[in-house]
Structure formats: structure tokens, C-alpha cells
Amino acid sequence: MSTPTDPAHEDAEALTALVTRLTDAAAAAPADGVAIEGAAAAVAAVDRPGGGISRAVAGSTTLFSGDGTRLPTGSAEGGPVHEDTLFDMASVTKVVTTLTAATLIEDGLLDPEAPIAEHLDSPHPRITARQLLTHTAGLPPVMSIWQIPGDRRAKLEAISRATLDAEPGTAHAYSCIGFILLGTLLEELTGLSLPQLARRRVLDPAGATGAGWAPPAQQASRAAATEIQDDPPRGLVRGSTHDETAWSLGGAGNAGLFATLEDALALGRVLVGRAPGPTFSAPVLDLLTRDQLSGTISTGAPWRQGFGLRIGQETAPGTVIPQVVGHPGFTGTSVLADPSTGAVAVLLTNRVHPRRTRFTVDHARRELARLAVG
């Protein structure tokens, strides 16, 4: 039985305070106004080796209706959040795409130094998988792919004609376009769609069996609502990919994954070698968890860059825990892992509900890092 001096008890109390603060702030805020720290739905967990898992859950899956007005208390549209609530993971998807690529590197099916033009149309003949994974390919951060007419192939062809912002290998610029190309490359190499490939090589082996792209319609009610979108004119998005580019492609390497709290923990355990699978050799782990940028290339942020993973986590402005790896997501999600201790921490929110400019979770992310690995 837990006592007030047990670390697990202290973790649980701190996590409960964190998610409750976020959801209480969102519930009390108007639909419009100055951005504040908050989220309609929030779950968090810390998993320490030998110390058990502490979890906290709070909020409502939907707080605002499709016209932006607040739903009445007890509305059937906005049920309570549970541990099995599905969250749009946004760029935490890049962790799964990265791990999928790592399994192909491990098996000798992907050469990270080879030009991707050997397998698919590329914006530049010298771009390599390494550069896509380290955001040094010179590609633009985003493109308005959803505004390009035509099917998925037409949109990917537009990406292949993208104008580079820098020569490949010379600068770091976080790029969702790069990870779309990476996902497409993995599909070309294997003949499988990225969701199928990730299921076989990462999600099922890790035990993240509830995670995946494009939840079936009957599961949409389990998803936390995200944004009311005007461009493209989708209205209130729930159970469908929030990221406009990934949505328009019907699945992509940069976003699109949905996951529960337990699924996200399972991904974190892969990063610290505590999952049943996949497993990686020391050289591949080194690519994932060590800085892969030369000393002359900066991220322009406190974190550094491994293969697909961010290395280093702020606990306060100017204070960084250097060994932590993981990734945040635009919708308000985060997965953090400390390979030195095996600790894993997860924060899942829908902070873009009802609009992406209304709420932030920056302080909560730092607070979680301080709690779990600080």
C-alpha cells in the first residue's frame, strides 16, 4: 500500500495536480481570448523501473461544439476522459516512423547514407535518409499540400518538386515534409503502407496494440476532439487526423498516429530498452539517442538532434536535462524517456481544441520532465 513517502504516491499526486490544473483552466476559459496554459482533455503517466506506473486522468473529450460555443455541462458530446481515450499524437508519430526506419536499418534494408533518389522522386539528388531523420535535408518545414488538387500521388509529386531552403547537410530545420518523404521511402522499400509496416515492426512488438492511423468510425467517440478547422473546411475534427497535410495524404510519416496512454508508454519503453520489442543493436541505438549533428550545425533550440528523436529536455528556461530523448506533438502530446534510468513519462492533451491559438501546455511539459527525470 502506498504511503505519503512512496515515490509512486508522490508521482500520482503531482500528476493529478498537473492534469487537473490544465483541464480546470480550459473549462473556465472562454472559447476565444489570450492563449493560456490549459487543455480540455489531459492524461499523464510516469513509469519508473521497479517503481510501478503512476497515472492521472482529467477533463472532457469535447468541451466546445462545432460552432465554437461551450457545450453545456453533462453534454453527451463531451464525455469524460478515460485511460483508453484516444489522442491524436501529431508529431509524436515521428517517433514511430523513426523506430520503423531503425528496424529497417537494423535488418540492412535501409542504408541511411544512400540517396533516397535511388528509390523515389526527390527534391534533390543528394538527399539521404540520414538527412531526413536529422532534419538536415534542406526541405521546407511545411507545404500546403491539402490545397493541391488531385490524389495522394499528385500531392507527393508536388513534394518531390519542393524548392530547398538550404543545401542538404548544411543546416538544421525541423521539417514535416522530410518525414513525409521518409515514410514514403519506407513504403517503397517494403511494399507496405506505413501504417501496416509500423504495426508489424513497432506497434505490435512494443505492445502498443491500441495505437494506429485512422481509427475505425466506431472508435471515434473514444477520441479527444481537436480543432475546428476552416482551411480545409472540416469543422470540428474528432477521430480524424488533425494535421492537414497528413490528413490530405491519407496517412503520412509526420503525423496521423492515434494512441492511448498505455500505447504512448509502450513507445517510451522502446526508447529505453524496456519493451518486449523491437530491440536494437548498440550502433543503431547510438543513431537514435546521440547527437547526430556536427558542431557547426545548431537546432536553434535547447535540444539536439538524434535520428528522429530530440535529445535534451528543458525543465525550465535555460535548464536542460541532456540525456532525455523523445518528441512533442503539436496537439499537446509528449513522450519522454531517460535511457540512463529507464524512466518514461507521457503527457497527452488536446490543447488545440477548439483553436490552436487558444491553449498551450509548455509549462506542463517542463513540469512533467522535472517530475520524471529532473
Side-chain angles (χ1 to χ4, degrees):
M1 180 178 295
S2 293
T3 69
T5 58
D6 286 340
H9 181 90
E10 293 175 354
D11 284 350
E13 285 192 336
L15 291 173
T16 298
L18 186 156
V19 298
T20 301
R21 187 186 71 247
L22 289 175
T23 56
D24 283 354
D32 299 309
V34 177
I36 64 170
E37 182 91 354
V43 299
V46 172
D47 178 5
R48 304 182 191 278
I53 306 172
S54 300
R55 303 177 178 87
V57 177
S60 173
T61 55
T62 307
L63 194 58
F64 299 93
S65 67
D67 62 6
T69 59
R70 184 183 301 281
L71 293 171
T73 302
S75 169
E77 297 177 66
V81 176
H82 299 288
E83 287 188 16
D84 68 347
T85 294
L86 285 168
F87 284 83
D88 184 318
M89 301 298 286
S91 281
V92 175
T93 303
K94 292 181 175 72
V95 174
V96 176
T97 305
T98 294
L99 293 174
T100 303
T103 67
L104 297 183
I105 294 171
E106 192 74 73
D107 292 346
L109 299 175
L110 171 62
D111 179 357
E113 314 302 340
I116 65 172
E118 294 179 0
H119 301 284
L120 74 162
D121 292 336
S122 168
H124 193 287
R126 293 202 301 273
I127 289 176
T128 65
R130 166 184 282 277
Q131 291 164 349
L132 297 179
L133 282 157
T134 57
H135 298 283
T136 57
L139 290 160
V142 294
M143 295 172 61
S144 299
I145 298 298
W146 65 92
Q147 296 177 349
I148 296 173
D151 58 10
R152 186 173 191 266
R153 181 175 294 277
K155 298 178 193 301
L156 291 174
E157 287 176 355
I159 290 176
S160 73
R161 299 190 298 271
T163 300
L164 300 190
D165 292 339
E167 276 292 305
T170 64
H172 179 279
Y174 181 75
S175 175
C176 287
I177 298 304
F179 262 72
I180 290 170
L181 275 179
L182 177 64
T184 306
L185 174 64
L186 304 186
E187 292 176 335
E188 288 292 322
L189 289 173
T190 63
L192 295 172
S193 71
L194 180 61
Q196 291 173 318
L197 188 61
R199 168 71 54 206
R200 294 184 186 184
R201 286 183 164 264
V202 176
L203 299 177
D204 283 351
T209 55
W213 280 255
Q218 63 269 26
Q219 293 188 16
S221 62
R222 286 178 48 213
T226 54
E227 191 173 24
I228 302 169
Q229 289 192 352
D230 303 316
D231 180 21
R234 302 171 63 196
L236 179 62
V237 179
R238 185 179 185 187
S240 179
T241 303
H242 170 263
D243 182 90
E244 302 93 334
T245 301
W247 168 77
S248 71
L249 289 167
N254 68 308
L257 185 77
F258 282 78
T260 66
L261 181 62
E262 183 54 42
D263 295 327
L265 285 170
L267 295 177
R269 292 185 196 110
V270 176
L271 302 182
V272 296
R274 293 174 51 211
T279 56
F280 300 107
S281 62
V284 173
L285 279 174
D286 197 61
L287 293 173
L288 294 170
T289 60
R290 291 185 184 273
D291 186 2
Q292 297 296 314
L293 302 181
S294 70
T296 60
I297 297 179
S298 170
T299 64
W303 47 268
R304 295 293 289 174
Q305 183 71 63
F307 265 29
L309 303 178
R310 295 186 180 184
I311 302 172
Q313 170 61 43
E314 269 193 317
T315 55
T319 302
V320 177
I321 306 173
Q323 77 274 12
V324 176
V325 298
H327 213 288
F330 186 77
T331 50
T333 55
S334 295
V335 173
L336 301 175
D338 184 350
S340 69
T341 65
V344 173
V346 168
L347 175 66
L348 307 182
T349 80
N350 63 340
R351 70 102 197 155
V352 296
H353 178 63
R355 300 286 184 182
R356 64 186 65 189
T357 57
R358 187 65 191 91
F359 299 109
T360 73
V361 292
D362 293 342
H363 179 76
R365 283 172 167 154
R366 291 171 179 161
E367 185 176 342
L368 179 70
R370 284 195 300 272
L371 169 67
V373 297

